[in-house]
Amino acid sequence: MPEGDTVWRTAQRLHQALADRPLTGCDLRVPRLATVDLAGRRVTDVTARGKHLLTRLEGGLTLHSHLRMDGSWQIYAPGERWRGGPLHQVRAVLSTADHTAVGYRLPVLELLHTSDEDRAVGHLGPDLLGPGWDPPEAVRRLLADPARPVGEALLDQRNLAGIGNVYKSELCFLLRVSPWLPIGQVPSPERLVALAKKLLEANKTRPARVTTAEPRADRRLWVYGRAGKPCLRCGTPVRLVDQGRAGQERATYWCPACQPGPTD
C-alpha cells in the first residue's frame, strides 16, 4: 500500500533513473494525454509531495501522478521484461537511453505547467518527508477540528501529508489511544506529530515497514494486518473495523485492551 515512505522511495528511484537525461520515448496512455509527446525533453527532477509524484521536465512542465491504493512506478533496463502487471494497466511509459519507467494503475496522471503545481498539491499539509516539514503547522491543522476522530484526522492529507492506513493504525497503537478518540483529547499532539515523522523517516529506505523492534515478517507491525491475532503487547485479539464517513471508510486495526476509549 503506497504511503509517504513508499512514494518517497519511488521518487528517489525515478530521479536516479531519469534525471538529467533526455527522454527518448514517451507514451501516456490516458485519453487526455494520448497525443502528448515529451520525447527530447530532459527530466530535471522527480520529487514526492506527500503521496503525490512530480516529474519535472525542461520547458516548465510537470507530469503529476498519484499512486492511491495500488498504483506503482517500475523501472527496467533496456530489453528487460516488464513485470508490474498486465499491459492494459500501463498508464505511462517514460524512456531514456538507459532506463524505462513504467507507471501501472495510476488513477491520477496529468500534465501541468510547473508554475501551476500548487493546483495539484497546494492543499496538502506539511510533508512528513519534505524539506519544508513544519511540526507546529501540522499540529495546528490537526487540532482545527478537535472533535474529529484521530484516525480520520491522521488520514486527511490536508493536515499532514504522507500517512495512510498502516501508519494511522500503528501511531494510535503506539500512543495507546483509540482511533475514535477525538483528536482534541489526544494527550500531547506534538508527540503524535513527532512520532509520525520518526516512523516515516525510519522506514523511508526500508523495503518492508517496521514499527516494532522485531525484524520477523509476522512481527514487524504492532496491529496493522493482524486482525484476530494476539496483540504483540498484551495478547488480546486485534480488531479490524472500517472507519470514516460513508463512502470514505478505511480499514482500522487496534487492540481494544491497549487502546481504551471510544470504539466503532
PDB file of all heavy atoms in Angstrom, residues 128 133-136 138-139 142 160 188-198:
ATOM      1  N   LEU A 128       5.615  15.112   5.744  1.00  0.00           N
ATOM      2  CA  LEU A 128       6.431  14.448   6.755  1.00  0.00           C
ATOM      3  C   LEU A 128       7.843  14.149   6.275  1.00  0.00           C
ATOM      4  O   LEU A 128       8.773  14.086   7.082  1.00  0.00           O
ATOM      5  CB  LEU A 128       5.745  13.156   7.195  1.00  0.00           C
ATOM      6  CG  LEU A 128       4.565  13.347   8.149  1.00  0.00           C
ATOM      7  CD1 LEU A 128       3.583  12.208   8.042  1.00  0.00           C
ATOM      8  CD2 LEU A 128       5.058  13.498   9.576  1.00  0.00           C
ATOM      9  N   TRP A 133       9.138  20.546   6.194  1.00  0.00           N
ATOM     10  CA  TRP A 133       8.378  19.977   7.306  1.00  0.00           C
ATOM     11  C   TRP A 133       8.203  21.001   8.414  1.00  0.00           C
ATOM     12  O   TRP A 133       9.166  21.621   8.868  1.00  0.00           O
ATOM     13  CB  TRP A 133       9.085  18.739   7.824  1.00  0.00           C
ATOM     14  CG  TRP A 133       8.544  18.169   9.097  1.00  0.00           C
ATOM     15  CD1 TRP A 133       9.239  17.953  10.255  1.00  0.00           C
ATOM     16  CD2 TRP A 133       7.211  17.713   9.352  1.00  0.00           C
ATOM     17  NE1 TRP A 133       8.420  17.412  11.217  1.00  0.00           N
ATOM     18  CE2 TRP A 133       7.163  17.261  10.691  1.00  0.00           C
ATOM     19  CE3 TRP A 133       6.045  17.676   8.580  1.00  0.00           C
ATOM     20  CZ2 TRP A 133       6.006  16.760  11.266  1.00  0.00           C
ATOM     21  CZ3 TRP A 133       4.880  17.181   9.157  1.00  0.00           C
ATOM     22  CH2 TRP A 133       4.865  16.726  10.477  1.00  0.00           C
ATOM     23  N   ASP A 134       6.950  21.167   8.863  1.00  0.00           N
ATOM     24  CA  ASP A 134       6.612  22.212   9.823  1.00  0.00           C
ATOM     25  C   ASP A 134       5.739  21.609  10.936  1.00  0.00           C
ATOM     26  O   ASP A 134       4.512  21.603  10.828  1.00  0.00           O
ATOM     27  CB  ASP A 134       5.864  23.335   9.102  1.00  0.00           C
ATOM     28  CG  ASP A 134       5.591  24.544   9.974  1.00  0.00           C
ATOM     29  OD1 ASP A 134       5.687  24.418  11.214  1.00  0.00           O
ATOM     30  OD2 ASP A 134       5.276  25.614   9.424  1.00  0.00           O
ATOM     31  N   PRO A 135       6.343  21.077  12.012  1.00  0.00           N
ATOM     32  CA  PRO A 135       5.557  20.418  13.061  1.00  0.00           C
ATOM     33  C   PRO A 135       4.479  21.303  13.686  1.00  0.00           C
ATOM     34  O   PRO A 135       3.339  20.845  13.864  1.00  0.00           O
ATOM     35  CB  PRO A 135       6.620  20.004  14.088  1.00  0.00           C
ATOM     36  CG  PRO A 135       7.886  19.905  13.304  1.00  0.00           C
ATOM     37  CD  PRO A 135       7.791  20.972  12.251  1.00  0.00           C
ATOM     38  N   PRO A 136       4.763  22.561  14.051  1.00  0.00           N
ATOM     39  CA  PRO A 136       3.688  23.369  14.647  1.00  0.00           C
ATOM     40  C   PRO A 136       2.490  23.549  13.717  1.00  0.00           C
ATOM     41  O   PRO A 136       1.341  23.544  14.166  1.00  0.00           O
ATOM     42  CB  PRO A 136       4.377  24.708  14.941  1.00  0.00           C
ATOM     43  CG  PRO A 136       5.823  24.371  15.089  1.00  0.00           C
ATOM     44  CD  PRO A 136       6.062  23.278  14.097  1.00  0.00           C
ATOM     45  N   ALA A 138       1.527  21.399  11.412  1.00  0.00           N
ATOM     46  CA  ALA A 138       0.826  20.116  11.377  1.00  0.00           C
ATOM     47  C   ALA A 138      -0.082  19.974  12.600  1.00  0.00           C
ATOM     48  O   ALA A 138      -1.234  19.551  12.488  1.00  0.00           O
ATOM     49  CB  ALA A 138       1.828  18.965  11.313  1.00  0.00           C
ATOM     50  N   VAL A 139       0.428  20.335  13.772  1.00  0.00           N
ATOM     51  CA  VAL A 139      -0.391  20.278  14.993  1.00  0.00           C
ATOM     52  C   VAL A 139      -1.578  21.220  14.883  1.00  0.00           C
ATOM     53  O   VAL A 139      -2.716  20.866  15.228  1.00  0.00           O
ATOM     54  CB  VAL A 139       0.466  20.624  16.226  1.00  0.00           C
ATOM     55  CG1 VAL A 139      -0.420  20.781  17.465  1.00  0.00           C
ATOM     56  CG2 VAL A 139       1.520  19.550  16.465  1.00  0.00           C
ATOM     57  N   LEU A 142      -4.219  19.670  12.605  1.00  0.00           N
ATOM     58  CA  LEU A 142      -4.889  18.531  13.233  1.00  0.00           C
ATOM     59  C   LEU A 142      -5.932  18.991  14.247  1.00  0.00           C
ATOM     60  O   LEU A 142      -7.022  18.421  14.344  1.00  0.00           O
ATOM     61  CB  LEU A 142      -3.859  17.638  13.922  1.00  0.00           C
ATOM     62  CG  LEU A 142      -3.033  16.717  13.030  1.00  0.00           C
ATOM     63  CD1 LEU A 142      -1.895  16.095  13.839  1.00  0.00           C
ATOM     64  CD2 LEU A 142      -3.891  15.611  12.413  1.00  0.00           C
ATOM     65  N   LEU A 160      -1.541  16.709   7.518  1.00  0.00           N
ATOM     66  CA  LEU A 160      -0.130  16.414   7.295  1.00  0.00           C
ATOM     67  C   LEU A 160      -0.070  15.337   6.222  1.00  0.00           C
ATOM     68  O   LEU A 160      -0.930  14.458   6.178  1.00  0.00           O
ATOM     69  CB  LEU A 160       0.601  16.001   8.562  1.00  0.00           C
ATOM     70  CG  LEU A 160       0.227  14.734   9.317  1.00  0.00           C
ATOM     71  CD1 LEU A 160       1.301  14.442  10.374  1.00  0.00           C
ATOM     72  CD2 LEU A 160      -1.109  14.852  10.012  1.00  0.00           C
ATOM     73  N   SER A 188      -0.824  15.329  24.334  1.00  0.00           N
ATOM     74  CA  SER A 188       0.395  15.782  23.669  1.00  0.00           C
ATOM     75  C   SER A 188       0.363  15.519  22.163  1.00  0.00           C
ATOM     76  O   SER A 188       1.062  14.639  21.641  1.00  0.00           O
ATOM     77  CB  SER A 188       1.619  15.098  24.280  1.00  0.00           C
ATOM     78  OG  SER A 188       2.807  15.595  23.709  1.00  0.00           O
ATOM     79  N   PRO A 189      -0.470  16.254  21.413  1.00  0.00           N
ATOM     80  CA  PRO A 189      -0.481  16.071  19.949  1.00  0.00           C
ATOM     81  C   PRO A 189       0.882  16.350  19.319  1.00  0.00           C
ATOM     82  O   PRO A 189       1.177  15.842  18.235  1.00  0.00           O
ATOM     83  CB  PRO A 189      -1.537  17.073  19.484  1.00  0.00           C
ATOM     84  CG  PRO A 189      -1.693  18.046  20.604  1.00  0.00           C
ATOM     85  CD  PRO A 189      -1.413  17.276  21.854  1.00  0.00           C
ATOM     86  N   GLU A 190       1.714  17.135  19.994  1.00  0.00           N
ATOM     87  CA  GLU A 190       3.063  17.370  19.482  1.00  0.00           C
ATOM     88  C   GLU A 190       3.850  16.057  19.419  1.00  0.00           C
ATOM     89  O   GLU A 190       4.629  15.834  18.493  1.00  0.00           O
ATOM     90  CB  GLU A 190       3.807  18.367  20.366  1.00  0.00           C
ATOM     91  CG  GLU A 190       3.205  19.766  20.384  1.00  0.00           C
ATOM     92  CD  GLU A 190       2.027  19.902  21.339  1.00  0.00           C
ATOM     93  OE1 GLU A 190       1.752  18.928  22.075  1.00  0.00           O
ATOM     94  OE2 GLU A 190       1.396  20.979  21.358  1.00  0.00           O
ATOM     95  N   ARG A 191       3.630  15.187  20.403  1.00  0.00           N
ATOM     96  CA  ARG A 191       4.301  13.888  20.404  1.00  0.00           C
ATOM     97  C   ARG A 191       3.784  13.021  19.259  1.00  0.00           C
ATOM     98  O   ARG A 191       4.554  12.278  18.634  1.00  0.00           O
ATOM     99  CB  ARG A 191       4.068  13.185  21.741  1.00  0.00           C
ATOM    100  CG  ARG A 191       4.726  11.812  21.818  1.00  0.00           C
ATOM    101  CD  ARG A 191       4.707  11.258  23.236  1.00  0.00           C
ATOM    102  NE  ARG A 191       5.213   9.897  23.254  1.00  0.00           N
ATOM    103  CZ  ARG A 191       4.456   8.815  23.447  1.00  0.00           C
ATOM    104  NH1 ARG A 191       3.157   8.951  23.653  1.00  0.00           N
ATOM    105  NH2 ARG A 191       4.986   7.613  23.444  1.00  0.00           N
ATOM    106  N   LEU A 192       2.488  13.089  18.991  1.00  0.00           N
ATOM    107  CA  LEU A 192       1.913  12.353  17.868  1.00  0.00           C
ATOM    108  C   LEU A 192       2.590  12.747  16.566  1.00  0.00           C
ATOM    109  O   LEU A 192       3.006  11.891  15.773  1.00  0.00           O
ATOM    110  CB  LEU A 192       0.406  12.627  17.791  1.00  0.00           C
ATOM    111  CG  LEU A 192      -0.335  12.189  16.532  1.00  0.00           C
ATOM    112  CD1 LEU A 192      -0.248  10.686  16.347  1.00  0.00           C
ATOM    113  CD2 LEU A 192      -1.786  12.644  16.582  1.00  0.00           C
ATOM    114  N   VAL A 193       2.724  14.030  16.328  1.00  0.00           N
ATOM    115  CA  VAL A 193       3.335  14.521  15.097  1.00  0.00           C
ATOM    116  C   VAL A 193       4.812  14.122  15.034  1.00  0.00           C
ATOM    117  O   VAL A 193       5.310  13.696  13.982  1.00  0.00           O
ATOM    118  CB  VAL A 193       3.162  16.051  15.011  1.00  0.00           C
ATOM    119  CG1 VAL A 193       4.050  16.649  13.937  1.00  0.00           C
ATOM    120  CG2 VAL A 193       1.692  16.394  14.753  1.00  0.00           C
ATOM    121  N   ALA A 194       5.521  14.244  16.153  1.00  0.00           N
ATOM    122  CA  ALA A 194       6.938  13.871  16.176  1.00  0.00           C
ATOM    123  C   ALA A 194       7.121  12.381  15.924  1.00  0.00           C
ATOM    124  O   ALA A 194       8.062  11.964  15.218  1.00  0.00           O
ATOM    125  CB  ALA A 194       7.561  14.259  17.514  1.00  0.00           C
ATOM    126  N   LEU A 195       6.236  11.555  16.457  1.00  0.00           N
ATOM    127  CA  LEU A 195       6.335  10.116  16.259  1.00  0.00           C
ATOM    128  C   LEU A 195       6.037   9.743  14.811  1.00  0.00           C
ATOM    129  O   LEU A 195       6.678   8.853  14.236  1.00  0.00           O
ATOM    130  CB  LEU A 195       5.385   9.389  17.205  1.00  0.00           C
ATOM    131  CG  LEU A 195       5.424   7.861  17.178  1.00  0.00           C
ATOM    132  CD1 LEU A 195       6.821   7.342  17.476  1.00  0.00           C
ATOM    133  CD2 LEU A 195       4.416   7.291  18.181  1.00  0.00           C
ATOM    134  N   ALA A 196       5.058  10.412  14.208  1.00  0.00           N
ATOM    135  CA  ALA A 196       4.766  10.167  12.794  1.00  0.00           C
ATOM    136  C   ALA A 196       6.004  10.453  11.940  1.00  0.00           C
ATOM    137  O   ALA A 196       6.366   9.661  11.063  1.00  0.00           O
ATOM    138  CB  ALA A 196       3.597  11.040  12.350  1.00  0.00           C
ATOM    139  N   LYS A 197       6.645  11.561  12.205  1.00  0.00           N
ATOM    140  CA  LYS A 197       7.869  11.914  11.485  1.00  0.00           C
ATOM    141  C   LYS A 197       8.944  10.849  11.695  1.00  0.00           C
ATOM    142  O   LYS A 197       9.607  10.411  10.742  1.00  0.00           O
ATOM    143  CB  LYS A 197       8.348  13.279  11.960  1.00  0.00           C
ATOM    144  CG  LYS A 197       9.726  13.698  11.470  1.00  0.00           C
ATOM    145  CD  LYS A 197       9.736  14.044  10.004  1.00  0.00           C
ATOM    146  CE  LYS A 197      11.038  14.741   9.609  1.00  0.00           C
ATOM    147  NZ  LYS A 197      11.108  14.989   8.147  1.00  0.00           N
ATOM    148  N   LYS A 198       9.127  10.430  12.935  1.00  0.00           N
ATOM    149  CA  LYS A 198      10.157   9.442  13.257  1.00  0.00           C
ATOM    150  C   LYS A 198       9.917   8.125  12.516  1.00  0.00           C
ATOM    151  O   LYS A 198      10.853   7.524  11.965  1.00  0.00           O
ATOM    152  CB  LYS A 198      10.176   9.212  14.765  1.00  0.00           C
ATOM    153  CG  LYS A 198      11.216   8.197  15.228  1.00  0.00           C
ATOM    154  CD  LYS A 198      11.182   8.044  16.741  1.00  0.00           C
ATOM    155  CE  LYS A 198      12.202   7.011  17.209  1.00  0.00           C
ATOM    156  NZ  LYS A 198      12.178   6.865  18.695  1.00  0.00           N
TER     157      LYS A 198
END
